Amino acid sequence: MLLGELVAHNAATNPEATALVVTAESRRISYATLADLIEQAGTALRGLGFAEGNVVGLRAPNTVAYIVGLLGAARAGLVIAPLDPALPPAEQQDRMHRLGARAVLTDAPAAALEGAPEIAVDVDGSRCTLRGAPAAGGDPSAIGLTPEDAMVMFTSGTTGKPKMVPWTHDGLTAAMGNVVSAYGLHAGDATVAVMPMFHGHGLVAGMLATLSSGGALGLPEKARFSAHTFFSELAATQATWVTAVPTIYQVLLDVAPDGAPAAARLRFLRSCSAPLPPAVAARLEEAFGAPVLPAYGMTEATHQACAVTATADAETRMQTVGGPVGAELRIADAGEVWLRGPAVARGYLNDAAASEATFAGGWLRTGDLGSVNDAGVLTLQGRIKNIINRGGEKISPERVEDALLANPDVVQAAVFPVPDDKYGEQVAAAVVLRADASFDSDALRAFCAAKLAKFEVPEHISSVSELPVTAKGSVDRNRLATLFG
């Protein structure tokens, strides 16, 4: 299915069903109305002179305008590149220049980008209007785009220039199907858009999988996640499931009003985009009274590749990321996880060297270490690039974080390397404690010593009020290493 036809397909079969819940306005938008808004946007874009295959950026938080802008552009046959609204204008301009984009669609025009003017997307009730005009743009084929491509996602690494990953219509169809089938999503389900939709997690698992299943998507009051409004948004949307990163779940566990998690009555909580420590998963299941289902994926695999299903036992839920869904999985000789399947991208745009290093014979070299049991279930053991080398001893930061998070006073933890004259690298950690807990570095080190090998115990532990995170919500270890190294 072409991306631009997604909502129209469901509108034809169940037009009055709720597609979106705008929680800030207590307003519901049906599939028929959403399909009409998307058609209006597509028609307006064609009227402005856009042609099939042209590239546009899209910058907006989790709003109706974002969804209408994205699917309207797809309806017009354009290739869409989502942008983080928090990106500095210079970085936005660089990304649009690399893509040869003709414009940036936005719900809040802010700054003129050289070569890619902004076009305002205004949604007022059942009417969508666009204001602005495109530039000439570049030749999409010059960077490797094809007529099969629907979107371009930028990798979210914290070092180096982000790479451009093309997502095809077929790949997106497979990716949506992978999420829907893994969790049995259907028209009676509903969720809240917790994750930002400019990132693959929020876009594929939150938005597109929900709309492809005919379910309802709740839009947060502040157009982004807020722990203070989260539970009222669940109630307004009548949510049956949620997907988020572990850092968000850890925040919710720490600030949730008494009884609020249990009252949410969710049938499962999905966790993805970063490792979920078993201690946190156990606390989540106790608080929400619902199974926690970790998943595994990455931008180059159009998000999800493996998932734990609702029928899995506790050990599988707590210790693994499940088996492959719509993908093939193998463990290479060095222990690296490789993936292959219809949702795996063909490579990076305009970067032959990076493509050759990451993609081989249809296989995606993920950069993650893992093992697979006899049932085909994957257990991750950390990122290759995150491994700390302490005098020849290889240490997984995720394993040390699990040990720290088993301490009842620790709400969040991040482990990272710092330079050391004797060992080359030494293990360091930053922790966020419960509000009523006192910080005792020696006590925390002793606690870790009972669970880890001597060389794994952090040499330095610092207490912080919050951990720095990347745009997708993962802990930014590089920034921590800079702050404490």
Side-chain angles (χ1 to χ4, degrees):
M1 180 186 297
L2 296 176
L3 182 61
E5 298 173 355
L6 177 66
V7 172
H9 175 78
N10 282 325
T13 56
N14 200 1
E16 299 308 313
T18 297
L20 305 177
V21 180
V22 186
T23 60
E25 305 170 12
S26 299
R27 179 166 61 94
R28 291 178 174 263
I29 298 175
S30 70
Y31 271 91
T33 298
L34 181 58
D36 186 55
L37 287 167
I38 291 167
E39 186 63 39
Q40 291 179 47
T43 300
L45 286 166
R46 288 188 290 269
L48 290 175
F50 286 98
E52 287 192 15
N54 289 168
V55 180
V56 293
L58 174 63
R59 187 191 70 236
N62 290 3
T63 60
V64 176
Y66 181 96
I67 296 171
V68 171
L70 186 143
L71 296 177
R75 188 72 169 164
L78 311 185
V79 178
I80 309 106
L83 292 168
D84 178 354
L87 279 177
E91 177 62 20
Q92 294 182 44
Q93 181 170 309
D94 178 68
R95 295 187 181 194
M96 295 299 93
H97 175 73
R98 291 171 64 191
L99 283 170
R102 295 192 64 190
V104 173
L105 309 181
T106 178
D107 65 343
L113 301 182
E114 184 178 344
E118 295 183 339
I119 292 179
V121 180
D122 295 320
V123 178
D124 183 8
S126 59
R127 185 182 179 192
C128 175
T129 56
L130 273 61
R131 292 182 287 106
D139 177 9
S141 66
I143 59 170
L145 284 169
T146 73
E148 287 72 41
D149 292 322
M151 301 182 68
V152 176
M153 302 297 290
F154 286 86
T155 57
S156 56
T158 54
T159 59
K161 187 180 285 291
K163 293 181 280 292
M164 302 181 290
V165 183
W167 283 359
T168 66
H169 290 277
D170 286 347
L172 278 165
T173 298
M176 288 182 267
N178 292 344
V179 176
V180 171
S181 64
Y183 308 105
L185 299 182
H186 53 78
D189 278 313
T191 190
V192 174
V194 173
M195 295 296 295
M197 293 188 290
F198 58 78
H199 184 264
H201 184 159
L203 178 57
V204 175
M207 171 190 161
L208 294 178
T210 295
L211 295 179
S212 69
S213 70
L217 178 67
L219 301 177
E221 292 183 21
K222 299 179 181 179
R224 58 178 174 79
F225 168 74
S226 170
H228 301 293
T229 58
F230 173 75
F231 290 100
S232 64
E233 291 159 3
L234 289 186
T237 308
Q238 298 178 310
T240 59
W241 68 288
V242 170
T243 184
V245 290
T247 49
I248 285 179
Y249 286 129
Q250 289 168 314
V251 168
L252 289 173
L253 283 171
D254 195 43
V255 305
D258 291 342
R265 296 181 180 176
L266 302 172
R267 66 182 183 92
F268 68 89
L269 297 95
R270 178 182 184 270
S271 178
C272 195
S273 299
L276 179 67
V280 176
R283 290 174 59 205
L284 281 169
E285 292 200 349
E286 181 179 1
F288 281 85
V292 174
L293 307 179
Y296 168 62
M298 56 199 311
T299 303
E300 291 86 343
T302 320
H303 187 51
Q304 180 179 286
C306 296
V308 175
T309 61
T311 58
D313 58 31
E315 182 178 357
T316 301
R317 297 197 309 274
M318 299 295 157
Q319 302 292 338
T320 82
V321 291
V325 180
E328 295 179 69
L329 169 67
R330 63 174 287 196
I331 304 298
D333 293 340
E336 184 179 19
V337 179
W338 286 21
L339 298 169
R340 182 168 68 180
V344 171
R346 64 181 179 273
Y348 300 115
L349 294 175
N350 210 27
D351 196 336
S355 295
E356 184 177 354
T358 305
F359 299 86
W363 289 95
L364 166 63
R365 299 166 174 170
T366 67
D368 290 310
L369 295 170
S371 60
V372 177
N373 66 14
D374 293 340
V377 173
L378 174 64
T379 298
L380 292 176
Q381 296 157 352
R383 292 284 292 169
I384 293 174
K385 68 179 182 180
N386 288 343
I387 293 296
I388 300 170
N389 188 342
R390 181 188 182 275
E393 298 283 4
K394 304 302 195 302
I395 301 163
S396 166
E398 293 85 357
R399 173 174 160 79
V400 182
E401 289 165 359
D402 288 351
L404 285 165
L405 287 164
N407 188 302
D409 287 337
V410 177
V411 176
Q412 297 181 59
V415 173
F416 49 94
V418 292
D420 185 85
D421 291 339
K422 181 178 180 180
Y423 294 103
E425 287 184 333
Q426 190 58 268
V427 183
V431 297
V432 177
L433 300 178
R434 293 187 183 284
D436 58 350
S438 58
F439 176 65
D440 187 332
S441 178
D442 290 338
L444 285 175
R445 293 185 74 251
F447 182 86
C448 288
K451 298 177 176 294
L452 301 170
K454 184 177 180 180
F455 64 83
E456 294 177 306
V457 176
E459 184 72 13
H460 311 285
I461 302 179
S462 303
S463 177
V464 297
S465 59
E466 62 180 6
L467 296 176
V469 296
T470 64
K472 70 177 183 179
S474 300
V475 173
D476 191 338
R477 300 181 200 274
N478 292 328
R479 187 173 168 195
L480 284 169
T482 300
L483 291 171
F484 296 101

